[in-house]
Amino acid sequence: MVLVVAGLISGDFYYYLEKQIPGMPKITKKPAKEEITKLKEEAAPPLVPTPTPTPTPRPTPKQTTGEIDFDSMINIRPNQGNSSREVLVEGEIGYLRGSSEVQTKVEITPDDFTKPEDAKEFVEKTGVNQLAVVFGNIHGIVTEQEEKLDIEHFKKIVMAVPDVFYVLHGASGLKDEDVRAAIKAGVTNVHFNTELRVAYTEGIHRTLHDKPNETTPYKYLAPAVEEVKKVVAQKIKIFMGK
């Protein structure tokens, strides 16, 4: 049926069918251009314009005097209602410096750390149940300074807000003992990114250095994947307390 309809519209295919299928009505001429256009219009479904959704107006932030204005934030309350499913919603508070790459230095001061009182107010007013905080962590890896977590400061945050799951962003470059201490103090979600990127990149560089004429992607990408697996396996051991 689809082929016949297509033939009726184009004309040419119908000529082919009449030579192949006995009993096919003979067509003495191609349909006129006007007839083809009419057939196409009849076959096509009517175009229904898609209504343009009305954008939801964003709340206008209140003027503040340098303090965080939580009143202007959207109150998500992730687990309101009668749903039996637990929804995890993460928020972040504090100034997490750096970027997801290898850097020489990243200036960080205690002023960047998450303040316990701010964390408490943030959770109360937004309803998030996962909270990423800053207590010495940065994005990326640094080569000319030591990354060090202030575990005692993190414990103060936990005391102020004991009923959320804590997230550690920027764990790449930290010493294993720092990550273990953070987990012991209350962190339940650890983010590694840059270390995986570095392992992958170095794996590719090493393969191409050893085999400069290699041009088959799966042959020089596979060793890079294996390098990433090694880092992941080592991190899992840390999470397991080994």
Side-chain angles (χ1 to χ4, degrees):
M1 177 62 72
V2 175
L3 295 179
V4 174
V5 171
L8 284 173
I9 293 176
S10 66
D12 294 329
F13 190 73
Y14 217 139
Y15 288 120
Y16 174 78
L17 286 179
E18 70 172 309
K19 296 177 182 178
Q20 302 297 321
I21 303 176
M24 175 65 68
K26 186 172 180 60
I27 297 179
T28 57
K29 65 176 182 178
K30 293 184 180 181
K33 188 174 182 180
E34 294 78 9
E35 294 174 347
I36 295 175
T37 302
K38 183 178 179 182
L39 285 170
K40 289 181 179 179
E41 291 175 349
E42 292 176 351
L47 295 176
V48 179
T50 303
T52 303
T54 304
T56 304
R58 297 177 64 85
T60 303
K62 296 180 180 180
Q63 296 295 322
T64 66
T65 58
E67 299 298 324
I68 299 175
D69 180 18
F70 298 111
D71 292 330
S72 65
M73 295 180 177
I74 300 174
N75 192 332
I76 45 182
R77 296 296 169 192
N79 295 304
Q80 278 187 334
N82 299 321
S83 174
S84 60
R85 294 185 179 182
E86 181 79 3
V87 178
L88 293 177
V89 178
E90 179 181 326
E92 179 177 306
I93 184 169
Y95 189 4
L96 188 62
R97 294 180 181 269
S99 58
S100 298
E101 59 187 4
V102 179
Q103 307 146 102
T104 54
K105 292 183 178 181
V106 175
E107 296 296 332
I108 181 171
T109 70
D111 290 337
D112 300 323
F113 292 4
T114 305
K115 295 179 176 60
E117 61 273 20
D118 286 347
K120 185 175 186 297
E121 187 177 2
F122 179 79
V123 171
E124 289 176 349
K125 292 194 172 183
T126 62
V128 298
N129 42 28
Q130 288 193 127
L131 187 62
V133 292
V134 180
F135 53 105
N137 43 318
I138 60 172
H139 280 305
I141 296 174
V142 287
T143 58
E144 296 183 8
Q145 74 185 77
E146 180 184 11
E147 295 182 49
K148 181 68 178 175
L149 296 179
D150 188 338
I151 301 298
E152 293 305 314
H153 183 84
F154 175 57
K155 289 179 179 179
K156 294 177 183 178
I157 300 173
V158 175
M159 289 180 62
V161 194
D163 298 324
V164 296
F165 299 105
Y166 282 97
V167 182
L168 174 61
H169 286 182
S172 290
L174 288 171
K175 292 182 178 179
D176 293 350
E177 53 264 34
D178 261 12
V179 177
R180 292 191 186 97
I183 293 173
K184 185 176 180 180
V187 166
T188 58
N189 186 326
V190 181
H191 285 216
F192 290 95
N193 180 8
T194 308
E195 284 190 42
L196 304 181
R197 293 181 179 186
V198 170
Y200 188 82
T201 303
E202 289 182 349
I204 293 177
H205 288 173
R206 190 178 304 112
T207 302
L208 294 179
H209 179 270
D210 295 341
K211 300 178 181 179
N213 295 325
E214 182 60 75
T215 59
T216 307
Y218 73 83
K219 291 185 178 180
Y220 60 75
L221 292 178
V225 173
E226 292 304 314
E227 293 301 316
V228 172
K229 288 181 180 179
K230 292 177 184 178
V231 177
V232 172
Q234 187 261 336
K235 299 303 181 185
I236 290 175
K237 290 180 180 179
I238 297 175
F239 301 154
M240 296 174 64
K242 297 182 179 180

